[in-house]
Amino acid sequence: MSGKRVIIFGGDPAGVATALEQAEAGMQVTLIESLPGLGGERIPQTRIISGENDFVDPNLEAVMRHPNIRVIDSAEVQRTEANNGNFRLKIKRRTPRVDREKCDDCKACIKVCPINMYDDFNEGVGFRTAIDFFNPKTGQYNIFKEDMPICQATCPANLDIRSYVGLIADGKYAESLAKIRERLPFALSIGRVCPHPCESACNRGYMDEPISICTLKRFVADWEMKEGIKAPVEVPDEFHKEKVAIIGAGPAGLTCGYFLAKAGYKSVCFEALPEPGGMFRYGIPEYRLPTPTLMREIDWICSHGIELRCNTRVGKDISFEDIQKQFDAVFLGVGAHKGMKLQIKGEDMEGVIDGVDFLRDANMGNPINAKGKVIIIGGGNVAMDAARVSWREGFDEVHVLYRRTKKEMPASPWEIEAAEHEGIKFQYLVAPIEVVGENGRMTGLKCLRMQLGEPDASGRRRPVPIEGSEFVVEAETLIPAIGQRPDLAFVPENSGLDITRWNTFAVNRANYMTNVPGIFSAGDVETGPDIAIRACAGGRKAAEGIVRYIEAKRGK
């Protein structure tokens, strides 16, 4: 028996005593504890403390110093495999964030830490700071919070922001990027385009300024790219026999394929457009997300085991029914690429082009008739993108018309500021009522001035028309950018899929499966138009649901 390896889970008094017992018997012991220190449960069940040393377990010091015992704290077991009486475990350890070799117990960190929380060491009757010594006996410091940090909770992908930012601070860039990729494969792209709701919620903002979380994500991803480091491809040695069809090679579809591959499932991704990327490629302007940068990331994602079939429109080049027959599961991630109409007279005239179509043409390099004045309708980020691209395409004047005030605009403030800085002209409290023109070609836009009334369902004050305030803005081009919706023409009428009144797929958010077994969906085609990182998060969760579905089906 001597020399055998033993793993003990839990560093409470029983675990500590067992570790010592096994080590004294000659075993090589690994003691795994989820908390930052040992002995966290040594308060007696009666909760009555008497004497001066009841919190001190004499075995703690012996365990820490025993040559046959290795202690891994702040750790949890992620996977266990058994084979011929042996066990193989995958253990994940949280970054301690405190260099224990350098810590001299000066307690200065406790004095300056801005985060106060209930102290569970004294039953929550007092407070402690986020950084503290978890174990009074050993004096080991750690940043320890029981709940998910607000930045992580706010991030749609629930990225472990605290860890990857801390690893950057430590100069461990590769480890930081690996931490991000545990939940998000698009670090390069999201680092450039995310409106970063995490920073709006960052507690540091109450002190001075939020942590620049998004920029740090971009920094560490750029570091790998600019250093010419080949991104690691980590997949199982063997893939399962089942295959998954992914319809739509956008943020949701490619993220789904990436996590399926890491779980051992290959996929085939059908994309109607000439290149993959979805809204990343065709909806976001080149100046915000350069195509070579995006394609580097997509090529790496696909190298995990995703077969791309571009220029393949489902419903035309291959039927939806054939895909269902040929694959073990189907993921629908076609996005929302269909612009919404203004529903005003003259909207079908030449010179009117939808915002999504305009951005797609610009990104594909198609010719754009950029002459004279262009009017953009809308106040969201697509409207800002359309306006700034119009300026770059060469229009003489670019005007943005919005029916509320600047305060109510849903676009990111920095995008509005950048557009203003570039010379885009804004007119607020204006709504279009008719496209005017001659011989089928628009010459201007008739508008109505508005004033703000009571708040509507969105919480924003409702725009109310001012009677008799009509006026005409002369322009050669009109770009409505008031919203998008999915195009579900590829789905046959007899598919049986539940479709919501917003023209999106209804799914069970526990596994992202639709009402049809084996068909999953996420991204804008499930949520409606939303930010890219939420589409990525949905793709990852759907991949987890697909794996559970296939494994359950295989087990029957």
Side-chain angles (χ1 to χ4, degrees):
M1 294 291 289
S2 178
K4 284 197 173 183
R5 290 178 291 180
V6 176
I7 292 181
I8 296 173
F9 301 99
D12 65 356
V16 168
T18 305
L20 274 176
E21 179 183 333
Q22 294 293 316
E24 291 297 327
M27 305 291 185
Q28 295 295 318
V29 178
T30 301
L31 179 58
I32 299 172
E33 167 58 47
S34 61
L35 294 172
L38 300 179
E41 304 295 330
R42 64 187 182 282
I43 299 174
Q45 291 183 351
T46 60
R47 324 303 289 174
I48 298 174
I49 309 299
S50 61
E52 295 182 353
N53 296 319
D54 294 274
F55 279 78
V56 179
D57 186 337
N59 288 332
L60 286 179
E61 193 71 17
V63 164
M64 299 296 290
R65 296 183 179 279
H66 202 290
N68 289 355
I69 300 177
R70 179 191 180 195
V71 178
I72 304 178
D73 58 21
S74 302
E76 59 185 19
V77 178
Q78 291 194 315
R79 187 171 66 230
T80 305
E81 297 175 3
N83 185 19
N84 294 328
N86 294 319
F87 296 92
R88 182 183 177 90
L89 295 90
K90 181 179 181 181
I91 298 169
K92 178 181 178 182
R93 188 185 190 195
R94 297 186 297 277
T95 306
R97 309 261 52 82
V98 174
D99 190 335
R100 294 173 179 174
E101 298 297 324
K102 297 178 180 177
C103 176
D104 60 0
D105 196 22
C106 71
K107 298 181 175 59
C109 55
I110 296 179
K111 295 175 184 175
V112 301
C113 180
I115 308 301
N116 291 294
M117 53 202 300
Y118 286 113
D119 186 357
D120 50 6
F121 204 75
N122 61 14
E123 299 293 303
V125 298
F127 293 94
R128 66 178 175 85
T129 54
I131 186 164
D132 206 337
F133 49 87
F134 179 78
N135 191 322
K137 175 64 178 175
T138 61
Q140 290 178 337
Y141 283 75
N142 204 312
I143 295 179
F144 180 69
K145 294 176 73 175
E146 293 88 347
D147 299 324
M148 184 180 286
I150 187 65
C151 54
Q152 185 175 356
T154 310
C155 171
N158 297 136
L159 295 181
D160 188 352
I161 295 167
R162 189 172 54 190
S163 291
Y164 82 68
V165 169
L167 286 164
I168 292 173
D170 292 343
K172 299 179 179 177
Y173 302 151
E175 291 87 343
S176 174
L177 195 51
K179 176 61 66 178
I180 295 170
R181 286 171 173 161
E182 287 179 2
R183 303 179 74 86
L184 176 72
F186 280 107
L188 273 172
S189 303
I190 291 294
R192 282 168 166 75
V193 305
C194 190
H196 45 73
C198 52
E199 292 184 28
S200 302
C202 176
N203 282 325
R204 188 70 209 185
Y206 295 108
M207 299 295 292
D208 39 48
E209 294 180 353
I211 303 294
S212 298
I213 299 168
C214 189
T215 304
L216 287 167
K217 184 192 295 105
R218 173 176 173 173
F219 161 75
V220 74
D222 281 2
W223 164 81
E224 182 187 69
M225 178 174 65
K226 292 177 179 177
E227 292 293 325
I229 299 171
K230 188 176 180 181
V233 177
E234 298 174 348
V235 294
D237 295 334
E238 294 184 7
F239 283 83
H240 300 286
K241 62 179 182 180
E242 294 90 347
K243 278 195 172 184
V244 180
I246 295 174
I247 302 177
L254 292 176
T255 300
C256 180
Y258 170 79
F259 284 103
L260 283 172
K262 291 181 75 70
Y265 294 91
K266 290 190 174 181
S267 58
V268 177
C269 188
F270 300 93
E271 171 57 52
L273 290 166
E275 293 185 31
M279 277 296 177
F280 274 151
R281 175 67 181 84
Y282 295 103
I284 295 176
E286 176 82 12
Y287 66 85
R288 290 180 58 200
L289 179 54
T291 301
T293 302
L294 172 65
M295 291 310 297
R296 171 190 165 93
E297 199 151 51
I298 290 176
D299 289 343
W300 169 73
I301 290 171
C302 291
S303 68
H304 286 75
I306 305 172
E307 178 187 340
L308 266 178
R309 295 184 189 177
C310 292
N311 284 317
T312 306
R313 185 174 292 278
V314 175
K316 177 185 175 185
D317 302 307
I318 183 172
S319 72
F320 190 79
E321 293 88 343
D322 284 345
I323 287 179
Q324 279 187 279
K325 292 175 184 174
Q326 294 172 19
F327 293 89
D328 298 279
V330 180
F331 175 80
L332 307 176
V334 298
H337 294 256
K338 195 173 182 180
M340 297 180 70
K341 297 292 184 183
L342 289 168
Q343 306 294 340
I344 61 175
K345 185 179 178 182
E347 195 174 5
D348 57 349
M349 285 189 181
E350 184 182 352
V352 181
I353 178 171
D354 177 74
V356 176
D357 294 340
F358 172 75
L359 291 173
R360 185 187 306 128
D361 284 345
N363 279 336
M364 295 178 73
N366 294 335
I368 292 176
N369 186 20
K371 294 181 180 178
K373 183 190 296 183
V374 58
I375 297 173
I376 318 296
I377 304 294
N381 282 330
V382 174
M384 296 304 104
D385 286 342
R388 297 180 68 187
V389 169
S390 296
W391 189 249
R392 286 163 172 77
E393 290 289 336
F395 282 97
D396 295 335
E397 291 184 31
V398 181
H399 292 247
V400 173
L401 273 53
Y402 182 55
R403 59 182 183 159
R404 291 183 169 94
T405 70
K406 182 178 179 180
K407 181 181 177 183
E408 286 82 25
M409 288 184 82
S412 301
W414 52 89
E415 292 293 336
I416 300 171
E417 184 179 344
E420 290 174 333
H421 179 74
E422 290 175 353
I424 311 298
K425 298 176 181 177
F426 287 79
Q427 294 190 47
Y428 298 105
L429 292 169
V430 173
I433 56 175
E434 180 183 350
V435 181
V436 296
E438 297 175 359
N439 301 320
R441 182 77 172 77
M442 74 164 285
T443 57
L445 182 67
K446 182 183 287 186
C447 302
L448 195 62
R449 299 204 181 277
M450 315 293 281
Q451 60 185 352
L452 294 182
E454 296 298 317
D456 60 14
S458 70
R460 297 176 297 173
R461 294 180 66 186
R462 184 191 306 274
V464 179
I466 300 175
E467 290 189 17
S469 63
E470 293 90 346
F471 64 101
V472 174
V473 181
E474 294 182 354
E476 286 74 20
T477 305
L478 173 66
I479 303 178
I482 58 171
Q484 307 104 256
R485 63 187 313 183
D487 183 356
L488 304 185
F490 71 96
V491 178
E493 291 184 359
N494 61 355
S495 68
L497 287 163
D498 274 352
I499 296 174
T500 70
R501 63 190 176 98
W502 297 281
N503 211 39
T504 57
F505 292 118
V507 302
N508 179 352
R509 285 288 177 87
N511 55 13
Y512 282 75
M513 188 159 72
T514 66
N515 62 307
V516 177
I519 299 182
F520 298 75
S521 182
D524 285 0
V525 75
E526 185 266 320
T527 62
D530 208 332
I531 58 179
I533 194 170
R534 202 179 308 281
C536 296
R540 177 179 57 79
K541 294 171 184 174
E544 294 171 356
I546 291 171
V547 170
R548 291 198 297 271
Y549 167 79
I550 292 177
E551 289 179 348
K553 192 176 175 182
R554 188 191 303 146
K556 286 182 179 178

